[in-house]
Amino acid sequence: MARILAGVVASLALLKTCAADFASYNASEYSIAKAGLLANIGTNGAKPGIVIASPSTSNPNYLYTWTRDSSLVFKLLIDQYTQGRDTSTLQYITDFVTAEGVLQGVSNPSGNVDETAFTGAWGRPQRDGPALRATAMITLGNYLISKGNTSYPTNTLWPKIQIDLDFVSQNWNNTGFDLWEEIDGSSFFTIAVQHRSMREGAAFATKQGDTTRATSYTNSGNALLCFLQSFWSSSSSALIANTNVNDGRSGLDINTILGVIHTFDPAAGPDATTFQPGSDKALLNHYTTVNSFRGSLYSINSGIAAGSAVNLGRYKEDVYFNGNPWYLATLAAAEQLYDALYQWNAAGTISVTSTSLPFFTQLVPSTTVGNYASSSTTYATLVSAVTTYADGFVTLAQKYTPSGGQLSEQYDKAAGTQLSAVKLTWSFASAITAFDAKSKFVPASWGAKGLTATCTTVAVTFKEVATTVLGENIYIVGSISQLANWDTDNAILLSSASYPTWSVTINIPASITFQYKYIRIDNGVVTWESDPNRSLTTPTSGTYTENDTWR
């Protein structure tokens, strides 16, 4: 008995030491990350208010600015300012507003830190930046209005905000490059942040007395929310990161977890329609995406048990710098779970559905489907398990953070040493937002509560003229779930009733753009028609017929 008691005491002492170490890292790294982030604003030749991605000038050269990164950084600073947690950054914030106003008038603005046009080769267009920038400025504007300051929001912010929101409203249905600037298609992250910008943009336009824009943004928001649903794949148990492109990837990408945390609304509850962090679909996506990095993909993950945190990269097929974990990816996984814990606490319950069950059973195998009130033992058990799991991702980031606390872009998948750009601003920001989420500092609501996706569909008839041999059939696949997400095993068969014209009618969401191709299948052998992919934008309502010929 004495030996058992001694073991218990030792275990408790170890837990206490680990908890103290975890808290110490959070506190020290928070300060280092904040200092590193601010040191990358308006420095190294950058104009005031311009965020540099990294001071690194070789292997790789990241001495550039991106609207996406800049807006995420300043959304963080604006949140802290409006919450009264750091009012010392006001000059940085006003410089950002001024600088972004200049960049709005520059062709290809993401790139040069001196506010001149970037003329080099890069993945363009990138359509997430305007939405994120509008969100940051709207957050500031709403706060100032609540404090009685209507002049700056109306005269300085609103002219810039409406430029970005008009762009989103008019261009959301066009493809563009994803947040990694690699895939030209429709990105979950982009569509999610665009949807958010339309909702809060409509409310802000109403405050400015612009009912015409408010209506336009609301209509775009409705269409975006409908389109957002198409990224969910029940067969993959995940959100597919990129559609409208056949990129040969699994679709599992930290893109989706980043989209979830950057559209977190603390007032919405664990709502699945907007893929809130604590919702069943967001949790299953977390489970599936994280598990795609388990095993031997990264040596530093080998031997880590199921149900424990692992180091995460962008996507498992990544070859950039030979494919490694990223700090912002590992920390994003923690942040989603901290946000989920906040939502469950606010709701006073955890709802375990058949969709979210795999997420919970990996942590607590005895979990069953049900609603568990905060007063229940099961609720307490699940909260404890999820908290430990979330903390595990931060602990991994801690393990591979050097003693000086600086955060690069990546760390080596075998040795854990830092790689790629040094002192990456987004890495610093991801640490801060994860720590804030752990401490239950949450952003303002953006209006996600109670939203429903009422999706109008259009009956699209595809007709393909193609001659075939006996036993050969014509099928269609494409970039949306209604067309099997390019999966030839689930391709849709066309009817040969009017041979040589093959046809099929499929209900597809209105006002969306997608890509597709016809294929021949003969005894299991698939033959694709020639490139390029076909593209179609559905009308707003009614029916539509597309007439094609095999090529």
Side-chain angles (χ1 to χ4, degrees):
M1 177 63 75
R3 191 174 299 169
I4 294 174
L5 289 174
V8 171
V9 171
S11 296
L12 290 173
L14 178 61
L15 286 172
K16 185 175 181 180
T17 300
C18 291
D21 187 50
F22 181 86
S24 175
Y25 170 73
N26 284 14
S28 63
E29 187 58 34
Y30 193 102
S31 298
I32 294 169
K34 185 69 174 288
L37 182 150
L38 294 175
N40 283 350
I41 301 175
T43 58
N44 296 76
K47 292 292 184 69
I50 293 291
V51 178
I52 63 171
S54 160
S56 177
T57 56
S58 63
N59 196 34
N61 180 3
Y62 271 27
L63 190 56
Y64 296 107
T65 187
W66 283 274
T67 305
R68 174 194 317 106
D69 303 37
S70 302
S71 300
L72 291 173
V73 164
F74 270 96
K75 175 60 164 60
L76 156 65
L77 295 178
I78 290 168
D79 280 344
Q80 292 188 341
Y81 174 79
T82 58
Q83 293 166 2
R85 295 192 290 126
D86 187 352
T87 57
S88 69
T89 57
L90 181 59
Q91 187 61 56
Y92 286 97
I93 293 170
T94 55
D95 285 346
F96 164 74
V97 172
T98 301
E100 293 302 314
V102 173
L103 290 179
Q104 283 181 323
V106 175
S107 176
N108 284 345
S110 284
N112 296 334
V113 299
D114 62 356
E115 299 177 339
T116 60
F118 180 77
T119 58
W122 217 286
R124 299 180 184 280
Q126 299 171 26
R127 302 189 188 278
D128 52 1
L132 292 166
R133 180 166 56 197
T135 284
M137 291 191 187
I138 288 170
T139 302
L140 177 62
N142 284 334
Y143 169 77
L144 293 175
I145 291 170
S146 74
K147 296 299 181 181
N149 180 349
T150 58
S151 176
Y152 188 80
T154 298
N155 299 325
T156 302
L157 295 178
W158 177 232
K160 299 174 178 63
I161 290 169
Q162 64 180 251
I163 290 173
D164 282 340
L165 295 180
D166 286 353
F167 176 85
V168 173
S169 183
Q170 294 162 14
N171 293 279
W172 69 265
N173 203 21
N174 294 320
T175 58
F177 279 83
D178 68 341
L179 74 171
W180 310 130
E181 298 148 5
E182 296 174 340
I183 300 298
D184 187 4
S186 298
S187 164
F188 174 81
F189 178 86
T190 300
I191 297 301
V193 299
Q194 287 179 329
H195 169 247
R196 171 181 177 160
S197 74
M198 289 291 94
R199 298 301 184 181
E200 55 195 350
F204 198 79
T206 299
K207 291 180 181 179
Q208 300 305 313
D210 194 335
T211 56
T212 300
R213 278 192 167 87
T215 300
S216 174
Y217 299 158
T218 296
N219 291 338
S220 294
N222 291 338
L224 276 157
L225 184 57
C226 181
F227 186 32
L228 194 64
Q229 310 310 304
S230 69
F231 288 88
W232 178 253
S233 171
S234 297
S235 61
S236 297
S237 299
L239 288 159
I240 301 302
N242 297 291
T243 63
N244 283 324
V245 63
N246 188 8
D247 57 12
R249 298 180 186 172
S250 65
L252 305 179
D253 190 315
I254 206 69
N255 164 327
T256 57
I257 291 178
L258 289 167
V260 167
I261 64 176
H262 288 297
T263 54
F264 165 50
D265 186 332
D271 168 58
T273 303
T274 54
F275 300 101
Q276 289 299 301
S279 68
D280 57 357
K281 289 182 177 178
L283 292 173
L284 182 59
N285 178 68
H286 189 284
Y287 168 83
T288 304
T289 303
V290 169
N291 283 347
S292 70
F293 291 94
R294 295 192 185 277
S296 59
L297 183 67
Y298 301 154
S299 297
I300 57 176
N301 282 343
S302 296
I304 296 179
S308 296
V310 291
N311 299 280
L312 305 178
R314 298 188 298 175
Y315 49 91
K316 66 181 182 180
E317 301 91 351
D318 197 1
V319 296
Y320 182 56
F321 274 80
N322 201 29
N324 298 284
W326 288 42
Y327 288 104
L328 67 88
T330 303
L331 290 165
E335 185 171 343
Q336 180 185 331
L337 300 183
Y338 293 142
D339 290 343
L341 288 162
Y342 179 92
Q343 290 183 321
W344 298 331
N345 180 66
T349 185
I350 294 176
S351 178
V352 178
T353 70
S354 58
T355 298
S356 61
L357 187 61
F359 170 83
F360 288 107
T361 54
Q362 71 173 332
L363 306 177
V364 182
S366 61
T367 307
T368 57
V369 171
N371 295 313
Y372 301 101
S374 57
S375 57
S376 68
T377 301
T378 301
Y379 178 96
T381 300
L382 293 176
V383 164
S384 176
V386 173
T387 301
T388 299
Y389 187 42
D391 290 347
F393 291 101
V394 178
T395 299
L396 288 173
Q398 174 186 5
K399 180 178 181 179
Y400 298 109
T401 299
S403 57
Q406 299 300 327
L407 299 177
S408 60
E409 180 181 70
Q410 307 174 39
Y411 49 104
D412 188 83
K413 60 187 175 184
T417 51
Q418 293 198 336
L419 289 173
S420 189
V422 301
K423 300 179 181 179
L424 191 79
T425 314
W426 197 353
S427 292
F428 290 139
S430 67
I432 295 169
T433 55
F435 298 153
D436 277 353
K438 169 72 172 176
S439 300
K440 298 181 176 61
F441 290 118
V442 297
S445 170
W446 55 267
K449 183 177 181 180
L451 291 177
T452 57
T454 304
C455 303
T456 302
T457 61
V458 173
V460 178
T461 299
F462 295 91
K463 292 185 176 182
E464 169 82 340
V465 176
T467 57
T468 57
V469 299
L470 184 64
E472 187 177 53
N473 291 292
I474 302 298
Y475 294 75
I476 186 171
V477 291
S479 62
I480 54 177
S481 60
Q482 290 82 3
L483 297 179
N485 289 317
W486 297 111
D487 182 359
T488 57
D489 289 338
N490 292 295
I492 293 92
L493 174 66
L494 277 69
S495 168
S496 61
S498 299
Y499 183 85
T501 298
W502 298 71
S503 66
V504 66
T505 300
I506 303 170
N507 289 322
I508 295 175
S511 302
I512 69 165
T513 300
F514 59 92
Q515 295 180 341
Y516 68 99
K517 269 188 177 181
Y518 298 99
I519 60 175
R520 298 171 182 263
I521 300 181
D522 185 4
N523 197 28
V525 177
V526 176
T527 302
W528 292 79
E529 65 175 346
S530 61
D531 289 333
N533 294 340
R534 300 181 188 271
S535 181
L536 178 65
T537 299
T538 52
T540 57
S541 61
T543 61
Y544 183 83
T545 299
E546 180 72 7
N547 293 295
D548 297 315
T549 301
W550 179 270
R551 62 187 188 204

